[in-house]
Amino acid sequence: MTRQVGVAQAALGFSVNSLGACLVLLAGDLGTPPENLAWLASSFGAGLLAVGAAGSMLLRSGSRPALFAAALVTAAGAVLLATGAAAAVAAAGALLLGLGAAGIVLVTPALLRGPGAAAGLARANAVGSVSAMLGPPAIGALETAGADGRLALLLAVPPLLFLAADTRPRAASPVDAEGSTPAPFSVVDRPGDTSPAGEDRSGDTSPAGKDPSGAPAPAADAGTRGRTRRTAGAWAAIVAAVSIEFCFTIWATARLRDTGLSDGGSAAAATAFLVGMAAGRLAAARLVGRGFPVIPVGCGLAAAGTLLVALPGAPAPVAAGLTLAGLGVAPLYPVTLARLVGVPGLTAARSAAYGALASGTAILAAPTGIAVLGAALELRAALLIAVLPLAAGLAAATALPPLLARSRT
């Protein structure tokens, strides 16, 4: 599954991170403000809610059929969104792209389970972040050359078709039985591994005594109540992390355009956020196992980057702020997702479904909230109001419990 995970994440990163620029260009084609097309950005979130709700059923036959279907649906959506001249066609493309991309998100944590999943997820997401850097510049280059920049989405179609051909359903197997050879993007799944007390440890993703964020791991909660509490906390952390990320993913291009850049120039300059994301995720893969507090530090960098994005009026400092924000945001999703996958007793299919639901909730709420605030105030104020409290809350929720535990001992 190593090759499939890499190709899937590359196609996912390119297509999803092109949505913000496509939103701006499509709004221009239709003669409407970008804020009126917030539904386009929310299509990915709606898809995540749909596949999350049906996650256990979709993964019942194994991850290969789910990945096969997700690749084909994403490819179809990319074609329609890239070529659609009418709002209805573009809407259909956005919905299909969002649904297919959500399927890829659903399958990935189900494949990358076991010890070291936080690092594996960081590496897989780093591949997506590197690929994502190509989307906005490709859109900007086409737009500057006089062509429709949305046509750049067609670049995602060949790898998606290759992925579909490579994952054609053969012998179906339960998701927990699908292991993979140890490799840069994969983690050996050990469904039969249990603790001496009989507790299922197949989802334990961190080194002994450590939480994926680098903080000391809490003692295993006993019973359903403890598992529910840990699951709810991990779910809320994913919502906060993805909300912060998609505030920038969707609205970076529009913020840069507000500084006076052209549509093509702002789409290209928005790559600054993706550069920071790629660098941060490559670094996170090394840091998560060394006790480094990646979430509190990441939240601090994201907050500082937000100030740079929101306060200046010139393009250069805004782009620098996007790079800094990307560096800080980068580890938040893979580490919080690894926490969810690592809840003892939570099956692979269920943890993948919960993760998709959390991401979908964030992707629906955050960009839409920014659009509403931006219409009432302005985009720079909306980013400050949305991102800073989320970053502060996530950092506090991660850092305070270990500090309180130490103070009691």
Side-chain angles (χ1 to χ4, degrees):
M1 279 294 176
T2 299
R3 179 176 63 253
Q4 288 96 352
V5 170
V7 174
Q9 287 297 314
L12 176 71
F14 183 92
S15 56
V16 170
N17 284 280
S18 296
L19 279 175
C22 286
L23 183 153
V24 173
L25 299 181
L26 182 61
D29 293 340
L30 299 177
T32 186
E35 291 81 2
N36 292 346
L37 295 180
W39 55 265
L40 189 154
S42 299
S43 63
F44 182 37
L48 283 165
L49 288 181
V51 302
S56 296
M57 181 183 68
L58 293 173
L59 293 173
R60 188 172 299 162
S61 298
S63 58
R64 182 180 293 272
L67 193 54
F68 170 76
L72 289 180
V73 172
T74 307
V79 170
L80 290 177
L81 183 56
T83 59
V89 177
L95 289 173
L96 286 175
L97 191 153
L99 187 64
I104 295 174
V105 171
L106 175 74
V107 172
T108 300
L111 295 173
L112 300 180
R113 286 174 61 86
L121 286 165
R123 292 189 189 99
N125 281 274
V127 172
S129 295
V130 171
S131 174
M133 289 190 295
L134 305 177
I139 292 172
L142 284 178
E143 192 71 17
T144 302
D148 189 340
R150 288 185 289 140
L151 291 174
L153 273 177
L154 295 176
L155 293 173
V157 175
L160 286 166
L161 295 180
F162 169 80
L163 179 62
D166 203 28
T167 56
R168 285 175 299 176
R170 291 193 284 269
S173 59
V175 65
D176 281 337
E178 292 196 17
S180 55
T181 303
F185 311 119
S186 64
V187 179
V188 174
D189 194 11
R190 300 179 298 173
D193 188 17
T194 58
S195 69
E199 179 186 357
D200 181 5
R201 303 292 295 181
S202 63
D204 190 2
T205 63
S206 58
K210 291 289 183 183
D211 178 272
S213 66
D221 291 307
T224 304
R225 184 178 300 177
R227 182 167 62 249
T228 301
R229 185 169 60 251
R230 289 189 63 183
T231 301
W235 188 90
I238 294 173
V239 171
V242 177
S243 294
I244 296 170
E245 178 177 338
F246 268 75
C247 284
F248 293 105
T249 298
I250 300 302
W251 294 111
T253 300
R255 175 69 188 103
L256 284 161
R257 193 184 65 167
D258 287 347
T259 65
L261 291 178
S262 65
D263 286 349
S266 58
T271 310
F273 178 68
L274 305 176
V275 170
M277 288 277 288
R281 282 180 172 161
L282 289 171
R286 297 177 176 271
L287 295 174
V288 290
R290 299 181 181 179
F292 188 82
V294 291
I295 289 185
V297 172
C299 288
L301 291 175
T306 302
L307 293 174
L308 269 178
V309 169
L311 298 180
V318 171
L322 287 171
T323 304
L324 184 59
L327 190 64
V329 167
L332 302 184
Y333 172 69
V335 172
T336 54
L337 180 60
R339 284 181 176 178
L340 179 63
V341 173
V343 173
L346 199 61
T347 66
R350 185 161 293 181
S351 61
Y354 288 165
L357 283 170
S359 297
T361 299
I363 294 168
L364 277 175
T368 303
I370 291 286
V372 172
L373 288 171
L377 303 170
E378 57 179 326
L379 185 55
R380 60 170 72 192
L383 286 169
L384 289 172
I385 293 170
V387 174
L388 296 184
L390 286 169
L394 181 57
T398 302
L400 287 180
L403 292 176
L404 293 174
R406 291 193 193 102
S407 67
R408 295 192 190 104
T409 59

